[in-house]
Amino acid sequence: MPDQYAVIGNPVAHSKSPQIHAAFARQTGQDLMYGQLLAPAGAFAATASAFRAGGGRGLNVTLPFKLDAFGYATLLSERAHAARAVNTLKFNEGVIFGDNTDGAGLVYDLLHNLGCALTGRRILLLGAGGAARGVIEPLLQQRPAQFVLANRTSDKARRLAQDFRGAFEAGTYAALAGRQFDLVINATSASLAGALPPLPPGVYASGAMAYDMMYGKGETPFLAFSRRNGAALLADGLGMLVEQAAESFFIWRGLRPDTAPVLQRLRQTQDT
Ligand code: ATR
């Protein structure tokens, strides 16, 4: 029987992970099956354990279970530890290895797909929830000249910053007035409610990129705002999605798929 993997979440039917991993498996000739697991609220561990008991080799973890998966793992990577969230589980003998590939996926997308340098640049990260937490450490590792985190609730931003070894500024949107950045990354959930983070105008330096970790059909509200307010380059989170999947695939199978054709195909189906 092929090795079994799945994405676990609630809801999970919308997930593109099965399509992405099936493409990776075809491309690399790996004999595996990748499905979907809907876990009832409060039943993450029971659902994951049943999958594991049935011979499952690994899981991708999506909302709202990344914190549950963090608690479920018996061995954590350093980046999962820093993120306090797990999006990839690997089952090996008695060990449940938990990793977080979200930040690496974002950094890979920025550097290799979008040609956006990070070292020595001024980076602004919007939001202080789980999505932001997961990408801070890998971004700091790129040694930006400035790294600033802004959040609607400033206390939450400051508390989050205290959890990281690398020091960075964390504060309000109002404190950004008059400052400029080369890269602004939206890790808020504002667009789920059709809202925008209250970014002051003029925050984009000449040639700057706006990156929205969300994606969907058409331009996100954040990218539309950024286009009107001076961002020269725009990117949504579809590249990050494919790259974090490639990192997970590497953890499980020991080889890195070529992501370009998979990303291109997803874009085509998304735009139609
Ligand atoms: P996730 O784990 O997906 O990041 P979360 O923990 O609920 O979700 O965090 C959501 C983030 O989006 C928070 O930073 C939140 O700001 P607050 O901490 O001030 O609540 C931010 N957010 C949500 N709606 C927003 C809006 N309309 N404007 C600005 N920020 C918003």
Side-chain angles (χ1 to χ4, degrees):
M1 189 168 80
D3 291 344
Q4 305 283 324
Y5 298 87
V7 54
I8 182 168
N10 187 345
V12 76
H14 66 287
S15 173
K16 296 185 195 299
S17 291
Q19 189 186 340
I20 295 171
H21 282 281
F24 288 168
R26 266 196 310 275
Q27 183 199 96
T28 57
Q30 294 282 300
D31 189 22
L32 62 84
M33 300 241 315
Y34 190 108
Q36 284 176 346
L37 266 186
L38 177 68
F44 171 81
T47 311
S49 292
F51 179 73
R52 195 171 152 233
R57 302 289 299 269
L59 288 168
N60 279 134
V61 183
T62 188
L63 294 177
F65 296 126
K66 291 185 184 185
L67 196 60
D68 295 82
F70 178 76
Y72 184 69
T74 56
L75 179 69
L76 288 168
S77 70
E78 216 172 297
R79 58 194 184 180
H81 203 266
R84 288 212 202 148
V86 158
N87 79 337
T88 306
L89 289 166
K90 179 181 178 178
F91 306 133
N92 198 1
E93 315 267 304
V95 178
I96 302 174
F97 176 65
D99 203 343
N100 190 317
T101 64
D102 285 332
L106 170 68
V107 167
Y108 196 97
D109 189 36
L110 283 163
L111 292 178
H112 302 290
N113 298 336
L114 299 165
C116 177
L118 301 172
T119 306
R121 309 307 291 275
R122 295 163 293 179
I123 301 178
L124 171 61
L125 180 65
L126 311 179
R133 185 184 281 278
V135 301
I136 292 171
E137 192 74 32
L139 286 170
L140 286 175
Q141 274 171 13
Q142 296 297 315
R143 289 177 287 106
Q146 289 179 34
F147 186 83
V148 178
L149 184 145
N151 196 46
R152 190 171 54 177
T153 317
S154 59
D155 266 8
K156 193 167 158 189
R158 290 200 194 95
R159 262 183 282 125
L160 175 67
Q162 282 165 5
D163 287 342
F164 288 84
R165 269 179 303 172
F168 58 89
E169 276 180 70
T172 60
Y173 288 95
L176 301 172
R179 299 184 66 175
Q180 292 204 312
F181 296 88
D182 303 300
L183 170 65
V184 180
I185 301 168
N186 180 25
T188 75
S189 54
S191 44
L192 292 178
L196 271 176
L199 207 54
V203 84
Y204 288 102
S206 161
M209 172 174 282
Y211 191 106
D212 199 340
M213 283 168 53
M214 298 258 167
Y215 56 87
K217 202 170 174 207
E219 204 167 60
T220 68
F222 170 74
L223 292 180
F225 166 88
S226 301
R227 181 194 292 283
R228 289 194 304 273
N229 284 275
L233 304 160
L234 306 169
D236 70 10
L238 202 64
M240 175 177 172
L241 176 78
V242 174
E243 296 303 342
Q244 64 77 29
E247 279 286 310
S248 297
F249 193 87
F250 179 79
I251 290 164
W252 293 326
R253 311 301 297 184
L255 35 101
R256 207 175 198 291
D258 178 9
T259 49
V262 180
L263 180 55
Q264 195 183 11
R265 179 99 191 90
L266 273 184
R267 279 247 182 265
Q268 281 164 355
T269 48
Q270 184 178 248
D271 291 342
T272 51

